[in-house]
Amino acid sequence: MSALFACEDPATWRRVYDKYWSVAEVKKAKGKNPGKLLNLDKWYQEELPAVISSRSDKHLTLSELVKLMEWKLTRGKFRPRLQQLVASNSEDTVEKCSRKAFSLLPDVQAAIAELSSLKGVGPATASAVLAAGAPEQAAFMSDEAMESVPGLKPIQYTAKHYALYLGKMLELTKSLNKVLRLNLYSMASPLILSGSPAGLDAPQTGAVFVGVYHRHSAAAPTSEGCGYEVQQLRH
């Protein structure tokens, strides 16, 4: 996966990203609790971001934070004490704290610090909250992603280490999107020059490629693109 991080071909990243759910289905069949991780993952990847974005002031409820922690512990090392600590926060505290955290963006470090004031929440969980509500500005601090980024070992789950990780992720995203924009321009130029409106609706690139690490896909060598294809999902 660390070799994939050096890949500058947007199409390769998109292929890896697009195969995530098929890999997750295979992983589900091998788990001790078939379906639980997949259901929680779909909730975190698809439902939670939509719910947060629908609110006029982005925030999390206590039940959502508890479920997010359940998702995080199900896909990683289970620590029941963390689940209990998170559940001991009050509804009002979680909503106020998360609302303030989102309002602090684009200062991600300040937002991480704010969320980390909640019981049971550290930089990794805080990053998961921000990644769900502001994926264009934050990336989840997962074990797989951290281990795959060159120059971050030994891994430390601190705010300082998260800043290093996020910086590398955003740098990669910027590089991939630059290549994508150049490719789109190359395809659209003949249409624009000929007066056709077809080249004026190029899609917004945003920070979509952070999503590959957001979904934590694992990769193995192949003969295509930069030479990587999804092989398995590690949890």
Side-chain angles (χ1 to χ4, degrees), residues 18 41 71 172 184 192:
D18 287 344
D41 213 27
W71 163 78
L172 173 64
L184 288 171
I192 295 173

Side-chain angles (χ1 to χ4, degrees), residues 32-204:
K32 294 180 179 179
N33 190 348
K36 181 179 181 180
L37 176 58
L38 184 61
N39 291 335
L40 285 171
D41 213 27
K42 283 185 176 294
W43 172 81
Y44 176 77
Q45 302 280 359
E46 300 174 354
E47 296 177 34
L48 183 60
V51 170
I52 296 175
S53 296
S54 71
R55 293 168 179 155
S56 56
D57 54 345
K58 290 183 177 182
H59 65 274
L60 242 64
T61 64
L62 174 59
S63 62
E64 289 166 348
L65 182 61
V66 169
K67 192 170 183 177
L68 183 148
M69 179 59 79
E70 182 183 7
W71 163 78
K72 180 174 176 288
L73 295 178
T74 300
R75 65 173 304 283
K77 184 176 181 180
F78 186 66
R79 298 181 178 89
R81 177 59 177 159
L82 283 180
Q83 192 80 57
Q84 295 167 5
L85 283 173
V86 165
S88 70
N89 289 290
S90 70
E91 182 74 55
D92 185 59
T93 299
V94 171
E95 291 192 16
K96 285 183 177 179
C97 186
S98 59
R99 185 177 290 111
K100 182 177 180 180
F102 281 113
S103 73
L104 289 169
L105 296 174
D107 189 340
V108 178
Q109 287 303 100
I112 290 287
E114 179 64 28
L115 288 168
S116 296
S117 67
L118 292 169
K119 287 179 284 187
V121 175
T125 302
S127 72
V129 172
L130 297 178
E136 73 283 359
Q137 298 183 62
F140 175 42
M141 190 184 194
S142 71
D143 295 335
E144 297 90 345
M146 292 278 283
E147 291 171 358
S148 301
V149 179
L152 289 185
K153 294 180 180 179
I155 303 302
Q156 300 174 44
Y157 291 91
T158 63
K160 183 178 180 180
H161 216 67
Y162 178 69
L164 295 174
Y165 162 69
L166 182 60
K168 288 180 177 290
M169 295 292 280
L170 293 177
E171 182 180 348
L172 173 64
T173 300
K174 182 178 179 180
S175 175
L176 288 170
N177 285 330
K178 181 179 180 180
V179 173
L180 185 58
R181 283 193 295 271
L182 288 173
N183 290 343
L184 288 171
Y185 180 78
S186 296
M187 291 186 290
S189 290
L191 296 172
I192 295 173
L193 291 174
S194 67
S196 169
L200 301 180
D201 294 322
Q204 298 296 311

